[in-house]
Amino acid sequence: MPIDPYVLLLLGTVGLAALLPARGTGADVASGASTGAIAFLFFLYGARLSTREAMDGVRHWRLHVTVLACTFVVFPLLGLASRALVPVFLTDPLYQGLLFLTLVPSTIQSSIAFTSIARGNVPAAICAGSFSSLVGIVVTPLLAAALLGSAGGGFSADSVVKIVLQLLVPFVAGQVLRRWIGGFVARHKKVLGLVDRGSILLVVYTAFSEGMVQGIWHQVSPVRLAGLLAVEAVLLAVMLLLTWYGAKGLGFGREDRIAIQFAGSKKSLAAGLPMASVLFGAHASLAVLPLMLFHQMQLMVCAVIAKRRSHDPAALPPEGSAASARTAVGRGSRSA
């Protein structure tokens, strides 16, 4: 089961914020840099996301509606239901973070990777992830405003302006300029990927520094952390089962069910962390903790599921077929 190296970097950043939190002028500088980093992140998201590629998948609308319903309807309903676990398993701030987790859009890269490993419908996974990201830019802040209310830092007119300026405007600008800068972004994908991840680390450092300075982390005990992990494990298990058997009940084939399961059961760390920083302000450190833990959990569990799905009899080419012959030749050449 994989340990995402980036999660280790995130945890290291949290440790740095705990030992050396930004204070005074340093905090102001970090906050300003974090604001700029979030805007740049969403600009890159807009520049990278091929709207045409996403629109090409409209013909498979039933699959995409199913994924969107899992991401933005079923997940939030389960998040709201988890309110019953306060205060036995969760504190109120941890519950708010868990509820925010359920509002975040799905991933793109890992959904595609796991769908490919499991021999599922990869084009559908690409489109489903793209649709979820596009919808999430607007729907996640709206759902957060409706469901989290004042617990999300107070959704005033100023908060709405911040969301528009830091998230929507850069994203739209990236989409508009994609025609001219799309090639540059594609050619420098690795370098810009490092910029992406570095920006998110800065956002995490700023959020957790604020939490340390304000003493927010005294609210989290090892027992509460264990309770949060248990609740997230149940949440992930429910979504994995629901997306797999629910898709079967809706009449989808095996390859489509795989795409629905991986795209409909996961949440995007890359999209969620910057959004939480804008939506929660000083309380973002507790808000993103459930998302960071869920991210690693979903990677480990889905990696095992994808590997098992790849060995399903239905996923393997029939004996004597051309595909089977090519596989045998490939194995023989590798053995040689």
Side-chain angles (χ1 to χ4, degrees):
M1 294 189 291
I3 301 297
D4 187 352
Y6 191 56
V7 170
L8 297 180
L9 283 175
L10 287 168
L11 293 177
T13 303
V14 171
L16 178 62
L19 295 173
L20 298 171
R23 301 175 184 271
T25 303
D28 294 336
V29 172
S31 179
S34 177
T35 299
I38 291 170
F40 185 62
L41 272 174
F42 278 83
F43 174 79
L44 286 180
Y45 292 160
R48 286 189 185 124
L49 188 59
S50 171
T51 307
R52 178 179 298 177
E53 185 178 69
M55 293 302 112
D56 285 344
V58 171
R59 62 181 180 273
H60 209 350
W61 62 270
R62 287 183 64 246
L63 184 147
H64 302 308
V65 168
T66 301
V67 172
L68 289 176
C70 290
T71 303
F72 297 114
V73 178
V74 179
F75 250 122
L77 288 175
L78 292 174
L80 289 172
S82 65
R83 177 69 190 180
L85 302 175
V86 180
V88 178
F89 286 94
L90 302 171
T91 62
D92 193 65
L94 286 179
Y95 163 71
Q96 299 295 338
L98 181 70
L99 181 56
F100 172 72
L101 149 73
T102 64
L103 311 181
V104 172
S106 179
T107 62
I108 298 178
Q109 290 91 342
S110 60
S111 295
I112 295 169
F114 289 135
T115 300
S116 177
I117 292 171
R119 303 173 188 268
N121 189 339
V122 175
I126 294 173
C127 293
S130 300
F131 275 132
S132 182
S133 295
L134 282 169
V135 172
I137 295 293
V138 176
V139 170
T140 296
L142 292 177
L143 286 175
L147 301 181
L148 291 169
S150 59
F155 287 86
S156 60
D158 182 61
S159 299
V160 174
V161 171
K162 285 174 63 179
I163 291 169
V164 171
L165 292 180
Q166 287 187 245
L167 305 182
L168 292 179
V169 171
F171 181 84
V172 172
Q175 280 282 285
V176 171
L177 295 177
R178 174 179 166 78
R179 176 180 177 184
W180 295 279
I181 65 173
F184 175 86
V185 170
R187 288 193 302 271
H188 298 84
K189 182 178 180 180
K190 289 186 177 180
V191 175
L192 291 175
L194 294 176
V195 173
D196 263 9
R197 296 189 163 213
S199 298
I200 292 174
L201 291 177
L202 176 60
V203 170
V204 169
Y205 174 75
T206 303
F208 277 80
S209 289
E210 289 188 60
M212 286 300 300
V213 171
Q214 297 189 17
I216 291 176
W217 282 100
H218 294 302
Q219 303 174 28
V220 183
S221 66
V223 174
R224 293 298 188 184
L225 193 60
L228 174 63
L229 286 170
V231 172
E232 291 194 335
V234 172
L235 176 64
L236 179 59
V238 169
M239 288 306 302
L240 286 169
L241 290 171
L242 187 61
T243 50
W244 182 251
Y245 291 105
K248 181 180 181 181
L250 291 173
F252 288 100
R254 178 189 175 278
E255 293 187 352
D256 287 345
R257 289 170 67 195
I258 289 173
I260 290 170
Q261 183 178 52
F262 289 128
S265 65
K266 296 207 299 303
K267 293 295 184 176
S268 173
L269 184 69
L273 288 178
M275 286 184 180
S277 180
V278 175
L279 297 172
F280 288 89
H283 297 277
S285 56
L286 276 183
V288 301
L289 179 63
L291 179 59
M292 290 171 61
L293 295 176
F294 190 82
H295 171 80
Q296 180 57 44
M297 188 183 295
Q298 72 185 12
L299 286 181
M300 296 172 70
V301 174
C302 289
V304 174
I305 293 175
K307 190 71 174 176
R308 292 175 67 88
R309 294 259 187 267
S310 69
H311 296 301
D312 287 347
L316 300 175
E319 290 293 330
S321 68
S324 178
R326 285 195 297 270
T327 302
V329 171
R331 288 175 179 166
S333 62
R334 284 194 296 271
S335 302

